[in-house]
Amino acid sequence: IQTLLEKSFASYLISSGRKKASKTARKKFGSDLEHLWMDFLDHMDFLAQEGFVTQEGKLTPDGLWASKLRIDSPLLVAQSIRDKLLPDREPALLAAIMAAFVNEKEFRDDPLYRISLSKQLKQTFLDLRKGLKPFAIKMLKKGFSAPNLYIQPAFLAYAWAHDTPWDELMRKSDFPEGDFARLMLRTAENLRQVAKIDEDFPCLAATARQAVDLILKEPII
C-alpha cells in the first residue's frame, strides 16, 4: 500500500506533463503520504482487532465474505450479520433495515415513539441499534464513519414493501418523492450485494433477493 501511494505521486507528475516537483510539492506530498499511511495502519489495526484480517494483513474467513459487500456501511452491516441482528427470514423487514443503513438524511425529530409502528419493525430496529452501539463507538474512535440509524427510512421502506400506496406513503414522509425513489434504488443495490454472500449465508441472501422484488416497483421503476 505504501509503495502504491508513493507511485501515485509519480503518476500525477506524468499525467500532468511535469518531470520534477517543487520542494514544496514534495514536502506536502510526503506529509500527506505519512498521514494516509498512518490512517491506513489505524484502520488495519481495527480490522485485525475485530477479526476481519490477521495481524499479517490477510483476510480471515469473516473478512473474505465481508469483502464482497460493496455497500454503503460495509462494516456495520458485516457486524450486524455476525451478531445475527439482521432479519434473515423477513424480506420486508430486511429491506427496512437496509434502508436505514443506506439513508443519508438527518432528522431532528425521528418519530420512533410518535408514529404507529409495526411492533416487529420497532423491536428489530431497537435491537439492531442497541446491538451495534458498542461496535459503532469503536469505529468512530478509530476514524471510521458510523452513520446514525433513523427509523423513518426504515418505516417508509417497510410500508412500501407492504404495498402502501405511493401517495399515502409520501404524505407520511419527510422525503421528496425523488429522494425516496433514489433511497429505494440504492437500498435494492445494497440488498443485491448482500445476496452475493449466499455461500456463507444462504438464508439471508435468499431473503435479500426477495426484498429487492418487494421495493422495486412502480413508480420507482
mmCIF file of all heavy atoms in Angstrom, residues 112-149:
data_model
loop_
_atom_site.group_PDB
_atom_site.id
_atom_site.type_symbol
_atom_site.label_atom_id
_atom_site.label_comp_id
_atom_site.label_asym_id
_atom_site.label_seq_id
_atom_site.Cartn_x
_atom_site.Cartn_y
_atom_site.Cartn_z
ATOM 1 N N LEU A 112 -39.603 7.756 16.397
ATOM 2 C CA LEU A 112 -39.553 6.370 16.843
ATOM 3 C C LEU A 112 -40.743 6.005 17.725
ATOM 4 O O LEU A 112 -41.297 4.922 17.642
ATOM 5 C CB LEU A 112 -38.245 6.115 17.595
ATOM 6 C CG LEU A 112 -38.004 4.686 18.083
ATOM 7 C CD1 LEU A 112 -38.098 3.690 16.933
ATOM 8 C CD2 LEU A 112 -36.651 4.574 18.751
ATOM 9 N N TYR A 113 -41.132 6.906 18.587
ATOM 10 C CA TYR A 113 -42.224 6.612 19.506
ATOM 11 C C TYR A 113 -43.486 7.414 19.187
ATOM 12 O O TYR A 113 -44.489 7.270 19.844
ATOM 13 C CB TYR A 113 -41.782 6.913 20.945
ATOM 14 C CG TYR A 113 -40.591 6.087 21.369
ATOM 15 C CD1 TYR A 113 -39.320 6.634 21.414
ATOM 16 C CD2 TYR A 113 -40.735 4.739 21.684
ATOM 17 C CE1 TYR A 113 -38.221 5.864 21.785
ATOM 18 C CE2 TYR A 113 -39.651 3.964 22.051
ATOM 19 C CZ TYR A 113 -38.395 4.537 22.101
ATOM 20 O OH TYR A 113 -37.316 3.773 22.454
ATOM 21 N N ARG A 114 -43.419 8.288 18.176
ATOM 22 C CA ARG A 114 -44.548 9.166 17.896
ATOM 23 C C ARG A 114 -45.509 8.573 16.875
ATOM 24 O O ARG A 114 -46.709 8.842 16.918
ATOM 25 C CB ARG A 114 -44.019 10.521 17.399
ATOM 26 C CG ARG A 114 -45.085 11.561 17.127
ATOM 27 C CD ARG A 114 -44.460 12.946 16.963
ATOM 28 N NE ARG A 114 -43.388 12.980 15.979
ATOM 29 C CZ ARG A 114 -43.597 13.024 14.667
ATOM 30 N NH1 ARG A 114 -44.822 12.993 14.176
ATOM 31 N NH2 ARG A 114 -42.569 13.079 13.851
ATOM 32 N N ILE A 115 -45.000 7.786 15.945
ATOM 33 C CA ILE A 115 -45.874 7.233 14.914
ATOM 34 C C ILE A 115 -46.261 5.801 15.264
ATOM 35 O O ILE A 115 -45.667 5.163 16.112
ATOM 36 C CB ILE A 115 -45.181 7.261 13.537
ATOM 37 C CG1 ILE A 115 -43.898 6.426 13.565
ATOM 38 C CG2 ILE A 115 -44.889 8.678 13.095
ATOM 39 C CD1 ILE A 115 -43.205 6.331 12.222
ATOM 40 N N SER A 116 -47.293 5.340 14.583
ATOM 41 C CA SER A 116 -47.757 3.975 14.809
ATOM 42 C C SER A 116 -46.874 3.014 14.016
ATOM 43 O O SER A 116 -46.959 2.928 12.791
ATOM 44 C CB SER A 116 -49.217 3.844 14.356
ATOM 45 O OG SER A 116 -49.664 2.514 14.511
ATOM 46 N N LEU A 117 -46.005 2.317 14.724
ATOM 47 C CA LEU A 117 -45.060 1.411 14.096
ATOM 48 C C LEU A 117 -45.489 -0.032 14.263
ATOM 49 O O LEU A 117 -46.108 -0.386 15.270
ATOM 50 C CB LEU A 117 -43.667 1.569 14.716
ATOM 51 C CG LEU A 117 -42.860 2.818 14.409
ATOM 52 C CD1 LEU A 117 -41.604 2.826 15.254
ATOM 53 C CD2 LEU A 117 -42.491 2.879 12.939
ATOM 54 N N SER A 118 -45.125 -0.834 13.292
ATOM 55 C CA SER A 118 -45.236 -2.269 13.477
ATOM 56 C C SER A 118 -44.382 -2.669 14.675
ATOM 57 O O SER A 118 -43.231 -2.251 14.799
ATOM 58 C CB SER A 118 -44.744 -2.992 12.219
ATOM 59 O OG SER A 118 -44.294 -4.295 12.508
ATOM 60 N N LYS A 119 -44.958 -3.453 15.567
ATOM 61 C CA LYS A 119 -44.217 -3.897 16.746
ATOM 62 C C LYS A 119 -42.957 -4.652 16.347
ATOM 63 O O LYS A 119 -41.897 -4.487 16.959
ATOM 64 C CB LYS A 119 -45.108 -4.783 17.615
ATOM 65 C CG LYS A 119 -44.451 -5.227 18.917
ATOM 66 C CD LYS A 119 -45.414 -6.053 19.761
ATOM 67 C CE LYS A 119 -44.749 -6.501 21.067
ATOM 68 N NZ LYS A 119 -45.680 -7.312 21.900
ATOM 69 N N GLN A 120 -43.072 -5.458 15.303
ATOM 70 C CA GLN A 120 -41.930 -6.249 14.835
ATOM 71 C C GLN A 120 -40.825 -5.348 14.302
ATOM 72 O O GLN A 120 -39.643 -5.550 14.594
ATOM 73 C CB GLN A 120 -42.385 -7.227 13.757
ATOM 74 C CG GLN A 120 -41.333 -8.250 13.357
ATOM 75 C CD GLN A 120 -41.842 -9.212 12.306
ATOM 76 O OE1 GLN A 120 -42.738 -8.874 11.509
ATOM 77 N NE2 GLN A 120 -41.293 -10.412 12.273
ATOM 78 N N LEU A 121 -41.201 -4.332 13.521
ATOM 79 C CA LEU A 121 -40.211 -3.405 12.982
ATOM 80 C C LEU A 121 -39.539 -2.623 14.103
ATOM 81 O O LEU A 121 -38.308 -2.480 14.128
ATOM 82 C CB LEU A 121 -40.869 -2.440 11.995
ATOM 83 C CG LEU A 121 -39.987 -1.287 11.496
ATOM 84 C CD1 LEU A 121 -38.755 -1.810 10.776
ATOM 85 C CD2 LEU A 121 -40.792 -0.343 10.601
ATOM 86 N N LYS A 122 -40.329 -2.111 15.021
ATOM 87 C CA LYS A 122 -39.780 -1.314 16.121
ATOM 88 C C LYS A 122 -38.790 -2.118 16.940
ATOM 89 O O LYS A 122 -37.685 -1.649 17.252
ATOM 90 C CB LYS A 122 -40.911 -0.810 17.018
ATOM 91 C CG LYS A 122 -40.448 0.054 18.171
ATOM 92 C CD LYS A 122 -41.646 0.571 18.956
ATOM 93 C CE LYS A 122 -41.232 1.412 20.135
ATOM 94 N NZ LYS A 122 -42.394 1.934 20.898
ATOM 95 N N GLN A 123 -39.147 -3.365 17.287
ATOM 96 C CA GLN A 123 -38.256 -4.182 18.110
ATOM 97 C C GLN A 123 -36.986 -4.560 17.357
ATOM 98 O O GLN A 123 -35.887 -4.534 17.924
ATOM 99 C CB GLN A 123 -38.986 -5.438 18.586
ATOM 100 C CG GLN A 123 -38.261 -6.169 19.701
ATOM 101 C CD GLN A 123 -38.048 -5.292 20.919
ATOM 102 O OE1 GLN A 123 -39.004 -4.744 21.465
ATOM 103 N NE2 GLN A 123 -36.804 -5.144 21.360
ATOM 104 N N THR A 124 -37.138 -4.900 16.080
ATOM 105 C CA THR A 124 -35.967 -5.245 15.269
ATOM 106 C C THR A 124 -35.016 -4.062 15.164
ATOM 107 O O THR A 124 -33.795 -4.216 15.299
ATOM 108 C CB THR A 124 -36.400 -5.689 13.859
ATOM 109 O OG1 THR A 124 -37.257 -6.837 13.958
ATOM 110 C CG2 THR A 124 -35.194 -6.047 13.003
ATOM 111 N N PHE A 125 -35.579 -2.882 14.942
ATOM 112 C CA PHE A 125 -34.760 -1.680 14.815
ATOM 113 C C PHE A 125 -34.054 -1.346 16.129
ATOM 114 O O PHE A 125 -32.865 -1.037 16.146
ATOM 115 C CB PHE A 125 -35.635 -0.508 14.366
ATOM 116 C CG PHE A 125 -34.870 0.767 14.160
ATOM 117 C CD1 PHE A 125 -34.183 0.994 12.979
ATOM 118 C CD2 PHE A 125 -34.834 1.737 15.148
ATOM 119 C CE1 PHE A 125 -33.462 2.164 12.785
ATOM 120 C CE2 PHE A 125 -34.120 2.912 14.961
ATOM 121 C CZ PHE A 125 -33.439 3.127 13.783
ATOM 122 N N LEU A 126 -34.779 -1.418 17.238
ATOM 123 C CA LEU A 126 -34.179 -1.108 18.536
ATOM 124 C C LEU A 126 -33.086 -2.116 18.899
ATOM 125 O O LEU A 126 -32.041 -1.743 19.428
ATOM 126 C CB LEU A 126 -35.256 -1.082 19.622
ATOM 127 C CG LEU A 126 -36.209 0.110 19.596
ATOM 128 C CD1 LEU A 126 -37.314 -0.068 20.640
ATOM 129 C CD2 LEU A 126 -35.468 1.408 19.832
ATOM 130 N N ASP A 127 -33.330 -3.389 18.611
ATOM 131 C CA ASP A 127 -32.324 -4.427 18.885
ATOM 132 C C ASP A 127 -31.066 -4.186 18.043
ATOM 133 O O ASP A 127 -29.941 -4.355 18.536
ATOM 134 C CB ASP A 127 -32.885 -5.813 18.588
ATOM 135 C CG ASP A 127 -33.933 -6.252 19.610
ATOM 136 O OD1 ASP A 127 -34.018 -5.636 20.688
ATOM 137 O OD2 ASP A 127 -34.666 -7.218 19.313
ATOM 138 N N LEU A 128 -31.277 -3.790 16.782
ATOM 139 C CA LEU A 128 -30.143 -3.519 15.897
ATOM 140 C C LEU A 128 -29.325 -2.354 16.429
ATOM 141 O O LEU A 128 -28.096 -2.442 16.540
ATOM 142 C CB LEU A 128 -30.653 -3.199 14.496
ATOM 143 C CG LEU A 128 -29.591 -2.750 13.489
ATOM 144 C CD1 LEU A 128 -28.802 -3.947 12.983
ATOM 145 C CD2 LEU A 128 -30.231 -2.009 12.312
ATOM 146 N N ARG A 129 -29.991 -1.265 16.748
ATOM 147 C CA ARG A 129 -29.271 -0.072 17.189
ATOM 148 C C ARG A 129 -28.544 -0.318 18.514
ATOM 149 O O ARG A 129 -27.399 0.108 18.694
ATOM 150 C CB ARG A 129 -30.253 1.104 17.324
ATOM 151 C CG ARG A 129 -29.585 2.455 17.271
ATOM 152 C CD ARG A 129 -30.530 3.555 16.908
ATOM 153 N NE ARG A 129 -31.548 3.757 17.929
ATOM 154 C CZ ARG A 129 -32.446 4.740 17.883
ATOM 155 N NH1 ARG A 129 -32.452 5.585 16.859
ATOM 156 N NH2 ARG A 129 -33.338 4.879 18.833
ATOM 157 N N LYS A 130 -29.203 -1.022 19.410
ATOM 158 C CA LYS A 130 -28.575 -1.340 20.696
ATOM 159 C C LYS A 130 -27.393 -2.290 20.502
ATOM 160 O O LYS A 130 -26.325 -2.114 21.103
ATOM 161 C CB LYS A 130 -29.600 -1.956 21.640
ATOM 162 C CG LYS A 130 -29.031 -2.316 23.011
ATOM 163 C CD LYS A 130 -30.104 -2.926 23.897
ATOM 164 C CE LYS A 130 -29.535 -3.318 25.267
ATOM 165 N NZ LYS A 130 -30.587 -3.931 26.132
ATOM 166 N N GLY A 131 -27.594 -3.300 19.658
ATOM 167 C CA GLY A 131 -26.548 -4.296 19.437
ATOM 168 C C GLY A 131 -25.317 -3.713 18.763
ATOM 169 O O GLY A 131 -24.188 -4.142 19.031
ATOM 170 N N LEU A 132 -25.508 -2.729 17.876
ATOM 171 C CA LEU A 132 -24.391 -2.157 17.124
ATOM 172 C C LEU A 132 -23.689 -1.017 17.854
ATOM 173 O O LEU A 132 -22.591 -0.617 17.460
ATOM 174 C CB LEU A 132 -24.880 -1.631 15.769
ATOM 175 C CG LEU A 132 -25.089 -2.650 14.660
ATOM 176 C CD1 LEU A 132 -25.565 -1.949 13.400
ATOM 177 C CD2 LEU A 132 -23.820 -3.442 14.377
ATOM 178 N N LYS A 133 -24.293 -0.484 18.893
ATOM 179 C CA LYS A 133 -23.738 0.711 19.547
ATOM 180 C C LYS A 133 -22.281 0.542 19.996
ATOM 181 O O LYS A 133 -21.433 1.399 19.694
ATOM 182 C CB LYS A 133 -24.615 1.119 20.725
ATOM 183 C CG LYS A 133 -24.174 2.426 21.366
ATOM 184 C CD LYS A 133 -25.125 2.862 22.475
ATOM 185 C CE LYS A 133 -24.667 4.173 23.098
ATOM 186 N NZ LYS A 133 -25.593 4.619 24.167
ATOM 187 N N PRO A 134 -21.925 -0.555 20.708
ATOM 188 C CA PRO A 134 -20.519 -0.698 21.127
ATOM 189 C C PRO A 134 -19.557 -0.747 19.942
ATOM 190 O O PRO A 134 -18.480 -0.148 19.982
ATOM 191 C CB PRO A 134 -20.515 -2.021 21.912
ATOM 192 C CG PRO A 134 -21.927 -2.218 22.338
ATOM 193 C CD PRO A 134 -22.757 -1.659 21.226
ATOM 194 N N PHE A 135 -19.948 -1.442 18.891
ATOM 195 C CA PHE A 135 -19.101 -1.554 17.703
ATOM 196 C C PHE A 135 -18.973 -0.201 17.013
ATOM 197 O O PHE A 135 -17.879 0.188 16.573
ATOM 198 C CB PHE A 135 -19.695 -2.589 16.744
ATOM 199 C CG PHE A 135 -18.840 -2.880 15.542
ATOM 200 C CD1 PHE A 135 -17.722 -3.681 15.637
ATOM 201 C CD2 PHE A 135 -19.172 -2.345 14.304
ATOM 202 C CE1 PHE A 135 -16.935 -3.956 14.531
ATOM 203 C CE2 PHE A 135 -18.393 -2.608 13.186
ATOM 204 C CZ PHE A 135 -17.271 -3.418 13.292
ATOM 205 N N ALA A 136 -20.077 0.537 16.910
ATOM 206 C CA ALA A 136 -20.057 1.846 16.265
ATOM 207 C C ALA A 136 -19.158 2.814 17.023
ATOM 208 O O ALA A 136 -18.435 3.617 16.411
ATOM 209 C CB ALA A 136 -21.473 2.404 16.166
ATOM 210 N N ILE A 137 -19.180 2.766 18.336
ATOM 211 C CA ILE A 137 -18.322 3.637 19.142
ATOM 212 C C ILE A 137 -16.852 3.334 18.866
ATOM 213 O O ILE A 137 -16.026 4.243 18.710
ATOM 214 C CB ILE A 137 -18.644 3.475 20.639
ATOM 215 C CG1 ILE A 137 -20.024 4.069 20.940
ATOM 216 C CG2 ILE A 137 -17.575 4.144 21.509
ATOM 217 C CD1 ILE A 137 -20.510 3.814 22.357
ATOM 218 N N LYS A 138 -16.516 2.048 18.780
ATOM 219 C CA LYS A 138 -15.135 1.670 18.476
ATOM 220 C C LYS A 138 -14.738 2.133 17.072
ATOM 221 O O LYS A 138 -13.610 2.579 16.861
ATOM 222 C CB LYS A 138 -14.972 0.153 18.608
ATOM 223 C CG LYS A 138 -14.983 -0.338 20.041
ATOM 224 C CD LYS A 138 -14.552 -1.791 20.157
ATOM 225 C CE LYS A 138 -15.605 -2.748 19.646
ATOM 226 N NZ LYS A 138 -15.228 -4.166 19.880
ATOM 227 N N MET A 139 -15.670 2.051 16.130
ATOM 228 C CA MET A 139 -15.391 2.522 14.772
ATOM 229 C C MET A 139 -15.064 4.011 14.764
ATOM 230 O O MET A 139 -14.094 4.443 14.136
ATOM 231 C CB MET A 139 -16.610 2.262 13.873
ATOM 232 C CG MET A 139 -16.783 0.827 13.422
ATOM 233 S SD MET A 139 -18.212 0.645 12.317
ATOM 234 C CE MET A 139 -17.698 1.629 10.919
ATOM 235 N N LEU A 140 -15.867 4.784 15.449
ATOM 236 C CA LEU A 140 -15.663 6.232 15.489
ATOM 237 C C LEU A 140 -14.310 6.585 16.108
ATOM 238 O O LEU A 140 -13.614 7.491 15.642
ATOM 239 C CB LEU A 140 -16.792 6.897 16.268
ATOM 240 C CG LEU A 140 -18.170 6.869 15.592
ATOM 241 C CD1 LEU A 140 -19.248 7.336 16.557
ATOM 242 C CD2 LEU A 140 -18.175 7.736 14.330
ATOM 243 N N LYS A 141 -13.932 5.860 17.154
ATOM 244 C CA LYS A 141 -12.656 6.129 17.814
ATOM 245 C C LYS A 141 -11.471 5.823 16.899
ATOM 246 O O LYS A 141 -10.400 6.407 17.050
ATOM 247 C CB LYS A 141 -12.551 5.306 19.098
ATOM 248 C CG LYS A 141 -13.445 5.805 20.227
ATOM 249 C CD LYS A 141 -13.292 4.962 21.480
ATOM 250 C CE LYS A 141 -14.142 5.496 22.613
ATOM 251 N NZ LYS A 141 -14.031 4.657 23.844
ATOM 252 N N LYS A 142 -11.680 4.901 15.955
ATOM 253 C CA LYS A 142 -10.609 4.530 15.035
ATOM 254 C C LYS A 142 -10.659 5.297 13.708
ATOM 255 O O LYS A 142 -9.897 5.021 12.793
ATOM 256 C CB LYS A 142 -10.669 3.021 14.751
ATOM 257 C CG LYS A 142 -10.084 2.173 15.866
ATOM 258 C CD LYS A 142 -8.586 2.382 16.001
ATOM 259 C CE LYS A 142 -7.958 1.458 17.018
ATOM 260 N NZ LYS A 142 -6.497 1.650 17.119
ATOM 261 N N GLY A 143 -11.576 6.249 13.625
ATOM 262 C CA GLY A 143 -11.609 7.083 12.434
ATOM 263 C C GLY A 143 -12.546 6.627 11.336
ATOM 264 O O GLY A 143 -12.592 7.228 10.262
ATOM 265 N N PHE A 144 -13.282 5.541 11.564
ATOM 266 C CA PHE A 144 -14.286 5.113 10.604
ATOM 267 C C PHE A 144 -15.544 5.957 10.771
ATOM 268 O O PHE A 144 -15.818 6.474 11.860
ATOM 269 C CB PHE A 144 -14.668 3.646 10.824
ATOM 270 C CG PHE A 144 -13.616 2.657 10.402
ATOM 271 C CD1 PHE A 144 -12.628 2.250 11.275
ATOM 272 C CD2 PHE A 144 -13.636 2.121 9.126
ATOM 273 C CE1 PHE A 144 -11.672 1.330 10.899
ATOM 274 C CE2 PHE A 144 -12.685 1.197 8.733
ATOM 275 C CZ PHE A 144 -11.698 0.797 9.620
ATOM 276 N N SER A 145 -16.340 6.079 9.720
ATOM 277 C CA SER A 145 -17.630 6.731 9.860
ATOM 278 C C SER A 145 -18.653 5.688 10.305
ATOM 279 O O SER A 145 -18.607 4.536 9.880
ATOM 280 C CB SER A 145 -18.068 7.354 8.528
ATOM 281 O OG SER A 145 -18.215 6.353 7.533
ATOM 282 N N ALA A 146 -19.539 6.106 11.175
ATOM 283 C CA ALA A 146 -20.604 5.229 11.670
ATOM 284 C C ALA A 146 -21.887 6.047 11.693
ATOM 285 O O ALA A 146 -22.190 6.708 12.692
ATOM 286 C CB ALA A 146 -20.269 4.687 13.054
ATOM 287 N N PRO A 147 -22.629 6.056 10.602
ATOM 288 C CA PRO A 147 -23.801 6.929 10.495
ATOM 289 C C PRO A 147 -24.886 6.569 11.503
ATOM 290 O O PRO A 147 -25.037 5.422 11.909
ATOM 291 C CB PRO A 147 -24.285 6.681 9.059
ATOM 292 C CG PRO A 147 -23.761 5.323 8.708
ATOM 293 C CD PRO A 147 -22.452 5.206 9.415
ATOM 294 N N ASN A 148 -25.625 7.599 11.907
ATOM 295 C CA ASN A 148 -26.774 7.371 12.777
ATOM 296 C C ASN A 148 -27.841 6.592 12.019
ATOM 297 O O ASN A 148 -28.039 6.795 10.815
ATOM 298 C CB ASN A 148 -27.365 8.708 13.245
ATOM 299 C CG ASN A 148 -26.465 9.431 14.221
ATOM 300 O OD1 ASN A 148 -25.823 8.801 15.059
ATOM 301 N ND2 ASN A 148 -26.401 10.750 14.110
ATOM 302 N N LEU A 149 -28.524 5.725 12.726
ATOM 303 C CA LEU A 149 -29.615 4.963 12.127
ATOM 304 C C LEU A 149 -30.943 5.565 12.579
ATOM 305 O O LEU A 149 -31.214 5.665 13.776
ATOM 306 C CB LEU A 149 -29.531 3.496 12.546
ATOM 307 C CG LEU A 149 -28.253 2.755 12.128
ATOM 308 C CD1 LEU A 149 -28.300 1.308 12.625
ATOM 309 C CD2 LEU A 149 -28.056 2.793 10.622
#
